[in-house]
Amino acid sequence: YEARHPIGTKARLALDLLLYTGQRRSDVVKLGPQHERDGGLLLTQQKNQTRKPVTLWLPILPQLRTSIDATPSGHLTYLVTEFGKPYTVDGFGNWFRRMCRAAGLQGCSAHGLRKAAAARLAERGASEDLIKAVTGHRTSKEVARYTAGARQKVLAVAAMRLIENDPETERVAPY
């Protein structure tokens, strides 16, 4: 995807917004310069906005900053259609799938990158609370759905390190 859509293209900015914020497409299509505060993005998530709103401040990582700065917009939202209008949620999802197919990737979606962001955090040892602080999930159950595979890998590595250098391991008789 990155080879087909280099930094400075709208398609790359879409990828970077999804991957480096961990937000839903309904939130990414609304993000723009007006959300920037103190080196981060301040947003209220669209989902449950009227019942139980979740407001997040997310730091803008250098990779995302580079992508934002390199991609011309001039609009209230970073991502706009070819007609200069903000994307609808479904319109963005369809467009993003087309960008994935153009890069030779089948079956990819914007939502998959939300899961990928959460999994990356889990693989690097982030606690469920840290992941919730990024994704805006309210419960650990929701985070666990996204990170189960990644969390198992981290835990398995940690567990095996416990015995890796254990002198007792070498004295155990073979079966």
Side-chain angles (χ1 to χ4, degrees):
Y1 190 98
E2 292 174 348
R4 174 69 169 85
H5 305 293
I7 289 179
T9 63
K10 180 173 63 169
R12 177 60 174 273
L13 178 57
L15 171 80
D16 291 342
L17 284 167
L18 290 160
L19 199 54
Y20 292 114
T21 67
Q23 298 306 297
R24 296 173 186 90
R25 61 188 171 138
S26 59
D27 299 314
V28 168
V29 297
K30 296 189 180 310
L31 289 177
Q34 74 276 13
H35 293 98
E36 293 190 27
R37 301 273 195 298
D38 302 320
L41 294 167
L42 181 65
L43 67 125
T44 300
Q45 292 184 323
Q46 187 70 24
K47 186 175 181 178
N48 299 319
Q49 189 173 21
T50 56
R51 289 187 302 132
K52 295 181 179 179
V54 174
T55 299
L56 303 170
W57 178 88
L58 303 167
I60 299 174
L61 296 177
Q63 301 92 320
L64 179 55
R65 178 84 269 158
T66 298
S67 193
I68 290 170
D69 291 347
T71 310
S73 172
H75 297 276
L76 286 177
T77 58
Y78 295 128
L79 301 170
V80 293
T81 68
E82 59 270 13
F83 304 108
K85 304 285 184 195
Y87 277 98
T88 64
V89 175
D90 288 340
F92 174 73
N94 293 333
W95 172 82
F96 190 77
R97 271 192 296 283
R98 284 195 305 276
M99 296 301 100
C100 290
R101 283 194 300 272
L105 302 170
Q106 301 299 321
C108 295
S109 70
H111 190 71
L113 289 175
R114 178 168 165 79
K115 289 181 177 182
R120 286 172 75 184
L121 289 167
E123 286 173 352
R124 285 158 180 80
S127 68
E128 288 182 356
D129 285 338
L130 289 176
I131 296 169
K132 288 191 292 187
V134 171
T135 62
H137 286 113
R138 293 181 181 270
T139 67
S140 295
K141 181 179 177 182
E142 294 173 59
V143 172
R145 252 194 337 240
Y146 279 42
T147 62
R151 177 74 60 208
Q152 183 278 326
K153 181 179 176 183
V154 168
L155 293 174
V157 168
M160 296 309 280
R161 283 191 180 138
L162 293 173
I163 62 171
E164 181 178 34
N165 297 315
D166 181 2
E168 291 295 317
T169 305
E170 296 176 21
R171 285 186 273 206
V172 174
Y175 289 99

